[in-house]
Amino acid sequence: AEALKASPSQYKVDEKLTPEKDVTTYNNFYEFGLGKGDPAANSEKFKPTPWTIKVDGLVGKPKEFGLEELLAMPLEDRVYRMRCVEAWSMVIPWVGFPLAALLDQVEPLGDAKYVAFETIVRPEEMPGQGGYFQSLPWPYVEGLRLDEARHPLTILSVGVYGKTLPNQNGAPIRLVVPWKYGFKGIKSIVKITLTDKQPPSTWNLAAANEYGFYANVNPEVDHPRWSQASENRIGEGGFFGANRRPTLPFNGYAEEVASLYAGMDLRANF
Amino acid sequence: MASLPALPRKYHAASIWLLYAVGLVPAAYGFYLGATGMLPGNPVKEFEHLLGLWALRFLVATLAITPLRDLFGINWIRYRRALGLLAFWYVLMHFLTYMVLDQYLNFAAILTDIAKRPFITIGMAAFVMLIPLALTSNNWSIRRLGPGWVKLHRLVYVIAAAGALHFAMAVKVVALEQMIYLALVALLIAWRPIRPRFNRWKRGNNGRPQFNRA
């Protein structure tokens, strides 16, 4: 990992950072295996450079961005809460830039309503994408509404803890949407497409009753398998300490984002 | 049929106590790692999962004793009670870890979990069914209950199936590991209706006198 230069940002959660060791060894990235330690253990063969992201669909100027261009965007330090759908959380210092800055360059057309994302498929470098037992269909896909994608909190991250992203965290570039469950934060992105229809998302395809398109953090709406009312903060409290805390609506970002969902039934649109 | 050299009778009792001691090592070691901050990430969950996994392993081992004897002539029936009780102790520790270390005795949350999450309902049912089996895993109960004891202890098939199902339903994606436990439990249960016929056939082939015909 190389050091990144970034400017400070107003978006800085005033909570204790999750230790770098936990941020980089406790991951869900099924392309490298199902265990939390698998991504760190099985991703050494993955090559995050060279890299390009193709941006197309309902845009005036479709474009392929090279990694150098992406790293040259106005990078900021952002400290966000990260809430996994499995009821654990972290506080992570990301380095990234607003997704809106990239979208501006391709000039979305008037009928573009959604943004679709796609992860790379490289079974020879990503052991979870090969073999007889495939956990999910590849590529991993995700989507946002255009207004969610343009929200200033939504970033494309190229680094964590001041350095370029380790492979297990989604190198070289990933999405971070802090008011949504972590699985929305699609990793190792190669394609972004603007569309007029709600795009598919991998976990919703796998189990539509468990994972909705919106996936906004919501302590009121339980996952069928676990309560979302509280969460375990990773790297704090250890074995006996009180590290279970109440989960906040929109993961604590309600003030910034609740208006995006005004008038919507958040139980139906989970 | 070839068989292992028999353990001299005078070591039988000691070997059973050794099994109890060795069987509790994973729990003790896991607790030590957790308590000293050496379990990474989410230590409580790691410990909880370790206990659940070993409970399932001991259930599978308990069910494997009979087919081992039928198929390979290995008679480890003297260890079956210890294996079954180890499974019970691990399930109990698994539940206590969830209740105390994970949920901090938040009984409202625990009861909601048991009532609303099918995988927890099933796991809890298996735990409840294990209690009478553990309480009657002694010679006195066997004498006292007579044929009823055998009937009662057939619950272990339901418990093992529930345990494997609980494991498979607890994960987001059913992977090879969960499928292996489901398959093992299914095979071990499926052996039961097959075994009377198999044993008759085996006796016929060997031309041995038919002792202990049930």
Side-chain angles (χ1 to χ4, degrees), chain A residues 22 26 28 30 34 85-86 88 133 135-136 203 211 222-227 232 234-235 238-244, chain B residues 30-31 34-35 39 41-47 101-104 113 116-119 169-173 175-176 179:
Chain A
D22 289 313
Y26 194 82
N28 277 329
Y30 284 10
L34 302 183
V85 73
E86 296 163 345
W88 53 266
F133 288 93
S135 52
L136 295 167
W203 281 103
Y211 314 98
D222 284 350
H223 184 277
R225 245 188 273 258
W226 42 77
S227 162
N232 273 312
I234 300 297
F239 213 43
F240 305 109
N243 67 346
R244 189 175 275 279
Chain B
F31 187 83
L39 284 181
N42 198 342
V44 172
K45 283 284 174 209
E46 294 285 327
F47 185 57
L101 296 181
D102 191 0
Q103 294 291 343
Y104 303 127
D113 266 359
K116 275 180 69 179
R117 329 259 173 251
F119 86 98
M169 290 171 73
V171 293
K172 280 156 81 186
V173 172
L176 187 58
M179 287 194 233

Side-chain angles (χ1 to χ4, degrees), chain A residues 24-44 127-128 168:
Chain A
T24 57
T25 59
Y26 194 82
N27 307 101
N28 277 329
F29 196 173
Y30 284 10
E31 280 83 340
F32 293 114
L34 302 183
K36 295 286 184 283
D38 287 348
N42 301 336
S43 62
E44 78 283 355
Q168 61 267 31

Side-chain angles (χ1 to χ4, degrees), chain B residues 15-90:
Chain B
S15 69
I16 293 166
W17 287 111
L18 185 69
L19 174 57
Y20 278 114
V22 173
L24 289 169
V25 166
Y29 187 58
F31 187 83
Y32 163 76
L33 289 181
T36 52
M38 285 192 280
L39 284 181
N42 198 342
V44 172
K45 283 284 174 209
E46 294 285 327
F47 185 57
E48 197 177 305
H49 293 164
L50 173 145
L51 295 170
L53 201 54
W54 278 96
L56 197 49
R57 286 170 182 164
F58 283 119
L59 278 172
V60 166
T62 309
L63 291 187
I65 295 292
T66 294
L68 268 184
R69 191 177 47 172
D70 296 340
L71 291 166
F72 306 106
I74 300 168
N75 189 352
W76 282 348
I77 190 88
R78 61 178 165 277
Y79 302 117
R80 192 166 68 180
R81 181 186 292 170
L83 291 170
L85 283 171
L86 279 166
F88 169 75
W89 289 116
Y90 270 88

Side-chain angles (χ1 to χ4, degrees), chain A residues 48-62:
Chain A
T49 51
W51 197 270
T52 55
I53 297 185
K54 193 176 171 189
V55 187
D56 61 10
L58 300 174
V59 295
K61 291 183 176 167

